[in-house]
């Protein structure tokens, strides 16, 4: 496996979690291992119905296109029968088509091909709309909800209809979403039509994603404990990903937005910069030092531990995490964790994310590689204002407020400094700043009305706004229940309803299989929620900064920050290298190949991967969410300090993946100045890594602790001020009662008297007469004003 192939995998991980092989399109993670018998059930119902319609012994893949369309139309008609059992059989037959008629295929590639063909056929015939109506019926089925509430134990059988419907819809959304080079022109047009359909308020006046959000809140309120949450969350995530776009689309939208506002182009593409980064080695452990000594005794040339990482050192620079001897160990007393080093073999740990290195190249070839810091430096407008305020106080004795243009009386070096700062100024040239300035100018005119473009993001936010806090709390409840560090409680929600079989296991092998399935089930839920929250934050921030701020504030108020820190307060190396999967039971492998006999030894061995992409993806997403919640928020940064996040985050640096290390170092950087001189002194290698990998902010004394922001913090005051601005934004943009009975009354005397009132032309001739008749001669009943009419 080459180094470039590893970069391709990481690039795919960054861009929406699509791995290089196409088996992800059929979504192995959609099915639990306890659902394996249902694959044969789907096939049997399809073949029984297929033979009954006079196909004369031919198979599905042998039919002409018109014959396939005619059969799908018959299935669509059969979905409308009143008999629940017959309807379920037809739905299973449709699911078998969406799964790729695997009994007629010889290889997994054939299954993928026919699944894609059938899914586009199903969409073209209107199956998705019919499934949506059935899904709405199942959600509103009060009888099923009440029986599930009364049951002491809920199993797979309680959610059969919902699981079949959600599986078909997920396969349709995910298959149509993924674009391939050999797509037909009609498939490309169908993709755009389906994307617009999902993002538009065509389903009961709201986007499809809101129906799924309603299922999540209904489940978490204990009103529908039989809902299959894993399938709901996966479908919700992929629907948001399809309708709003992934990280690549976000970058393109950002570039177009800057061009529309005549802003300078971005200094770099953040996705490309992260892709070019390499992971740094963690501090050497005692086991690695012992291994090094043993290699030296065998006569091997090994000047340092972790030789593999040196071969990947493309910048020919000293690794900031590298230790020359045991005396340089920089672990804090509070940061020691005996379990972390002992869980993974040191040699395996070194290649946990990185592939085996390519052959060593001659030193002369390494001179051509670029050197320097990966990110262009930035500075905020606030920092320029503070710099000028300090300089003016020092040299001329007074300040000019927020004026950053007047430099009269300041020495020449200050002029040069201000010029340099303005060249890398980020806030003034930011997309959010320009949008906010336009909004403020528009609303300074009372007659101005904002024309809001109805983008998919805008329509989703408008639909989520009334129940936004409920959606956020429900997602965090599910994240807490699925976290590996959470302990089972009697009053917590049961997220295992769609994984537990009707009959509990009776043998050791069955128990091991179910245990792996349960752990895998929880990991998938964490993956879906973390990706969903990150996508929502990024899209809302690009659409309007206040939409991002309200979602962020709901997350903070729902204790998202301590929840994420609790998630990372575990043996993160074990979590990244967990092997909670059984390859022979994954779809479509299990329906194409012969099933080998499972043994306890084969289940313990797990798959051949040395790491779990799923868990790595979840960890990176959670770190990015934490970064977005705390960036430029002093009170939230202090929450990281109060919750003692530094040792937890330092342990996460042991995972050798560049992107994950970058976001850990960002979180450490923002709180460095509050951790004290002793912490910085004993963690100089971490400080060097921050300098090397994280973007520099000029005039930011993050490494010295003498910043002006190092002040007492008032969490409540800062959040209340932010909430007030958010409520003003929502009321002026989304308040539909501006001209109704609830229009606020202007009680300010000066404002009322200052209003211009249109009077008739002859009014000034009879003004005195009108004043005598209407004002002076009429007694005013002041007491009557206090009585109710």
């Amino acid at each position: 496996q080459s180094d470039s192939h590893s970069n391709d995998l990481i690039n795919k991980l960054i861009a929406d979690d699509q791995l290089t092989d196409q088996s992800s399109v059929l979504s192995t993670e959609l099915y639990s291992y306890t659902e394996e018998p249902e694959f044969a059930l789907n096939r049997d119902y399809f073949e029984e119905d297929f033979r009954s319609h006079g196909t004369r012994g031919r198979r599905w893949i042998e039919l002409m296109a018109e014959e396939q369309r005619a059969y799908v139309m018959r299935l669509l008609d059969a979905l409308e029968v009143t008999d629940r059992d017959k309807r379920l059989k037809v739905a299973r037959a449709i699911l078998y088509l969406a799964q790729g008629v695997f009994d007629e295929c010889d290889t997994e590639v054939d299954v993928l091909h026919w699944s894609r063909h059938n899914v586009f056929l199903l969409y073209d015939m209107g199956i998705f709309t019919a499934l949506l109506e059935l899904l709405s019926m199942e959600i509103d089925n009060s009888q099923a909800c009440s029986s599930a509430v009364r049951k002491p134990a809920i199993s797979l059988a309680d959610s059969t209809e919902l699981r079949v419907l959600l599986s078909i819809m997920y396969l349709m959304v995910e298959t149509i979403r993924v674009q391939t080079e050999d797509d037909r022109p009609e498939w490309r047009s169908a993709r755009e039509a389906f994307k617009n359909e999902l993002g538009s308020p065509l389903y009961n006046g709201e986007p499809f994603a809101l129906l799924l959000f309603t299922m999540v809140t209904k489940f978490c309120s204990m009103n529908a404990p039989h809902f299959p949450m894993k399938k709901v969350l996966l479908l919700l995530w992929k629907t948001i990903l399809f309708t709003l776009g992934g990280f690549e689309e976000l970058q393109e939208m950002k570039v177009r937005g800057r061009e529309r506002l005549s802003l300078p182009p971005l200094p770099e593409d953040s996705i490309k910069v992260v892709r070019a980064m390499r992971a740094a080695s963690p501090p050497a452990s005692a086991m690695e030092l012992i291994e090094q000594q043993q290699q030296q005794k065998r006569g091997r040339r090994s000047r340092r531990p972790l030789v593999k990482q040196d071969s990947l050192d493309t910048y020919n620079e000293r690794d900031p995490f590298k230790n020359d001897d045991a005396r340089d160990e920089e672990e804090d007393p509070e940061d020691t964790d005996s379990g972390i080093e002992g869980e993974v073999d040191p040699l395996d740990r070194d290649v946990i994310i990185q592939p085996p290195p390519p052959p060593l190249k001659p030193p002369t070839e390494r001179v051509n590689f670029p050197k320097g810091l990966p990110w262009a430096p930035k500075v905020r407008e606030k920092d320029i204002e503070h710099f000028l305020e300090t300089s003016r106080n020092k040299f001329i004795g007074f300040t000019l407020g927020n004026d950053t243009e007047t430099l009269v009386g300041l020495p020449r070096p200050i002029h040069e400094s201000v010029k340099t700062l303005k060249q890398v100024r980020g806030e003034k040239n930011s997309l959010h700043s320009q949008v906010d300035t336009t909004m403020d100018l528009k609303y300074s005119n009372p007659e101005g009305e904002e024309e809001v473009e109805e983008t998919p993001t805008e329509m989703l936010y408008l639909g989520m706004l009334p129940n936004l806090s409920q959606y956020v709390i429900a997602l965090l409840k599910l994240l807490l229940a699925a976290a590996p560090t959470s302990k089972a409680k009697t009053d917590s929600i049961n997220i295992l309803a769609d994984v537990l079989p009707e009959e509990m296991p009776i043998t050791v092998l069955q128990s091991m299989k179910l245990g792996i399935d349960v752990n895998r089930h929880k990991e998938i839920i964490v993956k879906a929620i973390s990706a969903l929250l990150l996508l929502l934050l990024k899209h809302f921030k690009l659409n309007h900064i206040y939409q991002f701020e309200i979602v962020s504030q709901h997350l903070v108020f729902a204790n998202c920050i301590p929840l994420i820190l609790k998630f990372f307060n575990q043996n993160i190396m074990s979590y990244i290298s967990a092997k909670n999967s059984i390859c022979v039971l994954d779809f479509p492998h299990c329906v194409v190949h012969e099933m080998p006999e499972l043994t306890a030894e084969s289940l313990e061995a797990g798959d051949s991967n040395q790491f779990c992409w799923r868990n790595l993806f979840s960890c990176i997403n959670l770190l990015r969410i934490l970064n977005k919640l705390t960036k430029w928020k002093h009170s939230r940064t202090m929450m990281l300090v109060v919750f003692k996040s530094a040792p937890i985050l330092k342990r996460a640096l042991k995972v050798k993946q560049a992107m994950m290390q970058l976001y850990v170092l960002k979180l450490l950087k923002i709180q460095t100045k509050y951790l004290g001189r002793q912490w910085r002194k004993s963690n100089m290698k971490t400080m060097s890594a921050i300098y090397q990998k994280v973007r520099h902010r000029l005039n930011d004394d993050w490494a010295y602790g003498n910043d002006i922001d190092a002040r007492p913090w008032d969490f409540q005051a800062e959040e209340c001020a932010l909430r007030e601005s958010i409520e003003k934004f929502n009321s002026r943009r989304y308040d539909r009662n501006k001209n109704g009975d609830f229009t606020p009354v202007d009680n300010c005397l000066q404002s009322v008297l200052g209003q211009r009132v249109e009077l008739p032309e002859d009014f000034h001739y009879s003004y005195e007469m009108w004043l005598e008749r209407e004002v002076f001669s009429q007694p005013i009943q002041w007491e009557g004003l206090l009585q109710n009419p």
Side-chain angles (χ1 to χ4, degrees), residues 237 247 526-536 617-618 621 625:
W237 167 35
F247 298 153
V526 172
K527 169 185 175 179
I529 294 176
S530 63
L532 173 62
L533 288 175
L534 181 60
L535 273 177
L536 288 176
F617 181 73
S618 302
N621 287 339
I625 292 169

Side-chain angles (χ1 to χ4, degrees), residues 703-765:
Y704 304 102
N706 55 357
D707 193 273
I708 59 167
D709 284 338
R711 60 185 185 276
W713 57 292
D714 187 349
F715 175 83
Q716 190 171 4
E718 292 185 22
E719 296 296 339
C720 286
L722 178 60
R723 188 55 177 258
E724 183 181 357
S725 300
I726 292 170
E727 289 177 351
K728 287 180 180 178
F729 162 76
N730 284 331
S731 64
R732 77 188 184 192
R733 188 161 174 165
Y734 304 110
D735 188 4
R736 302 305 182 201
N737 299 317
K738 289 182 179 179
N739 300 321
D741 297 333
F742 300 100
T743 304
V745 178
D746 191 353
N747 294 320
C748 179
L749 181 63
Q750 293 180 344
S751 176
V752 173
L753 294 178
Q755 292 178 1
R756 297 184 62 86
V757 180
E758 294 294 333
L759 299 172
E761 293 182 3
D762 57 345
F763 181 77
H764 64 279
Y765 295 117

Side-chain angles (χ1 to χ4, degrees), residues 128 132 135 166 169-175 177 194-200 203 206-213 231-246 456-457 460 528 531-532 535-536 539:
F128 192 86
L132 186 61
L135 180 62
L166 291 169
M169 299 173 90
Y170 178 89
L171 288 173
M172 293 184 70
V173 170
E174 177 64 358
T175 304
R177 183 188 73 84
F194 191 32
K195 178 180 179 180
N196 296 332
E197 186 181 334
L198 289 176
S200 303
Y203 307 107
E206 58 186 22
F208 173 59
L210 284 181
L211 179 66
L212 301 176
F213 271 118
K231 286 181 167 52
V232 173
L233 291 169
L234 284 173
L235 179 56
L236 178 57
W237 167 35
K238 294 297 184 179
T239 302
I240 298 292
L241 188 60
F242 187 21
T243 55
L244 303 188
T457 308
L460 178 65
L532 173 62
L535 273 177
L536 288 176
H539 277 285

Side-chain angles (χ1 to χ4, degrees), residues 636-662:
R636 298 178 192 175
T637 302
M638 293 305 297
M639 289 177 66
L640 293 178
V641 180
V642 170
F643 290 132
K644 300 188 185 306
S645 64
I648 297 173
L649 294 171
K650 269 195 63 183
R651 284 198 292 269
L653 287 174
K654 295 180 182 295
V655 179
K656 287 182 57 179
Q657 204 278 328
M659 191 174 187
M660 182 168 173
Q661 287 183 348
L662 171 66

Side-chain angles (χ1 to χ4, degrees), residues 404-419:
T404 58
E405 302 300 327
T406 305
L407 302 178
V408 177
L410 297 176
R412 187 66 184 173
I414 301 297
H415 289 229
E416 297 293 333
S417 299
V418 173
K419 180 180 177 181

